Amino acid sequence: MAPQATTVTVTGAGGQIGYGLLFRIAAGDMLGPDRPVRLRLLEIPQGLKAAEGAALELQDGAFSLLEHVEVTDDPRVAFDGCSIALLVGARPRSAGMERADLLQANAGIFGPQGAALSEVAADDIRALVVGNPANTNALIAAASAPGIPADRFSALTRLDHNRAVGQLVAELDARPDDIDGVAIWGNHSSTQFPDVSHAVFGPVKTGPDVTMVFDALAAKLGSSEAALAWLDDVFVPRVAQRGAEIIRVRGSSSAASAANAAIEHVRDEQGGVAWTSAAVVSHGEYGVPEGLVCSFPVRSDGDGYRVIEGLDLDDRARARLAASVDELVAERDAVRALGVI
Ligand code: NAD
Ligand code: LMR
């Protein structure tokens, strides 16, 4: 008997990332080749035409896993019975907008969406927030969804994780599969800490040739000091500011790479993974205040991400994590001051 279709809702489905997501979900890249999907596309009225166009193209794709597509501007319709929600649509920062205005505008989106999810989503709902400021939007959605355990909400830092791997691949002249154990700590913002201190490098990661990424960098660059300087002066800022670099070069924010990262986040959350990065609700791990949605190294047994605990963080790492956590605390406090959570 064919498995029942999984209902997947994409918000902001008429936008750039939505366009990058929908066809890959329909092709089975997110849930695998054996799970049919029912897609719900949520947009605001101005975005409905773009979403409707995407729905026509989905039909033209004749995807064998795609059972049904519905376009709506009503969150309660969009989230009805949904098991996976990709919360992409958000209010971008416009000229002259203060941070508090941005947080308030997004609270007006993620608060009601969290509430609607709580009322009508399936019992197994998991929601990934992509729309920025992603960590705090996830916090708002979780706080607005009393019927859903908070740890069913997460925010996307897999893109940052993949960016970090991409930079190491280029520097070490390696392949992505040769690198494991990279971690993104903190906020999906320029304060994040991309960390290689637990990362390993080697053609066969568990074999005799495996080495720490740091040692491979030191060998390539001539000394440990040169490796540390490259990490501090090139790698960390490059990864942390890659979103801005893409906007500068491309003229708009990352779309296909963001969609790819969102697909991988959900695929690994549902399918299992030994090590990746995701922003999840803190239970106090590594001293991060409880309830903040913070990026950590995580693993999944197929039933949601768990923080990988017990890693040693040196003073440099602790200071960088603390700086990003301070930013998350400030965002949470600003949202609290607005009476949103
Ligand atoms: P976009 O402007 O192309 O599309 C956003 C879409 O969301 C628009 O079609 C808009 O009409 C819709 N929308 C706005 N409010 C909505 C609401 N209340 N309900 C439903 N839909 C709504 O933007 P994009 O390039 O697709 O990016 C979307 C978001 O993702 C942005 O906030 C962007 O900053 C963020 N982003 C996050 C990451 C990450 O790694 N976390 C990476 C890239 C982009
Ligand atoms: C990214 O990391 O590419 C985006 O979050 C940048 C942005 O501000 O949309």
Side-chain angles (χ1 to χ4, degrees), residues 26-322:
D29 289 356
M30 189 169 81
L31 299 180
D34 303 320
R35 274 174 76 179
V37 288
R38 206 177 294 117
L39 276 171
R40 298 260 177 71
L41 280 48
L42 179 68
E43 260 296 346
I44 49 176
Q46 306 89 288
L48 279 176
K49 278 285 166 217
E52 282 163 9
L56 294 181
E57 285 201 69
L58 283 165
Q59 188 179 31
D60 294 347
F63 295 100
S64 52
L65 289 172
L66 185 59
E67 285 203 351
H68 189 250
V69 183
E70 185 171 354
V71 181
T72 176
D73 61 0
D74 182 345
R76 290 178 60 91
V77 173
F79 295 134
D80 189 23
C82 98
S83 294
I84 298 170
L86 298 169
L87 306 183
V88 179
R91 174 73 201 274
R93 190 193 288 262
S94 45
M97 203 175 190
E98 297 298 329
R99 208 173 56 137
D101 300 331
L102 182 73
L103 287 168
Q104 187 160 35
N106 279 295
I109 295 174
F110 289 87
Q113 288 186 358
L117 279 165
S118 184
E119 284 167 32
V120 300
D123 288 345
D124 61 351
I125 176 69
R126 287 190 186 279
L128 166 64
V129 176
V130 177
N132 281 321
N135 301 53
T136 298
N137 288 340
L139 176 81
I140 293 167
S144 310
I148 302 175
D151 60 11
R152 300 285 190 81
F153 289 84
S154 57
L156 187 70
T157 53
R158 180 62 173 263
L159 177 56
D160 310 286
H161 181 101
N162 289 347
R163 286 168 170 166
V165 172
Q167 292 302 312
L168 294 171
V169 161
E171 189 62 23
L172 292 171
D173 198 13
R175 291 160 30 83
D177 289 352
D178 293 342
I179 291 166
D180 198 13
V182 166
I184 303 295
W185 301 88
N187 202 359
H188 172 68
S189 77
S190 59
T191 67
Q192 68 178 254
F193 176 43
D195 179 17
V196 304
S197 49
H198 304 95
V200 293
F201 167 70
V204 184
K205 275 177 255 168
T206 51
D209 294 338
V210 77
T211 176
M212 298 307 289
V213 158
F214 184 83
D215 295 338
L217 287 168
K220 173 91 192 294
L221 298 170
S223 68
S224 296
E225 290 73 24
L228 204 53
W230 182 80
L231 287 169
D232 281 347
D233 301 340
V234 180
F235 173 78
V236 169
R238 190 90 199 267
V239 174
Q241 293 163 31
R242 185 66 155 190
E245 182 183 352
I246 300 284
I247 292 173
R248 205 168 51 245
V249 174
R250 188 176 175 263
S252 61
S253 74
S254 59
S257 57
N260 177 62
I263 297 266
E264 290 184 346
H265 174 112
V266 175
R267 181 197 67 196
D268 290 348
E269 184 179 30
Q270 305 251 330
V273 67
W275 185 305
T276 184
S277 301
V280 297
V281 175
S282 169
H283 301 285
E285 295 92 342
Y286 297 98
V288 175
E290 248 177 82
L292 286 186
V293 177
C294 180
S295 185
F296 294 100
V298 294
R299 61 176 175 78
S300 171
D301 296 329
D303 59 351
Y305 285 123
R306 310 256 187 289
V307 175
I308 295 172
E309 296 196 67
L311 300 172
D312 282 334
L313 296 189
D314 62 15
D315 290 347
R316 169 179 167 276
R318 287 203 177 273
R320 290 203 186 251
L321 172 59

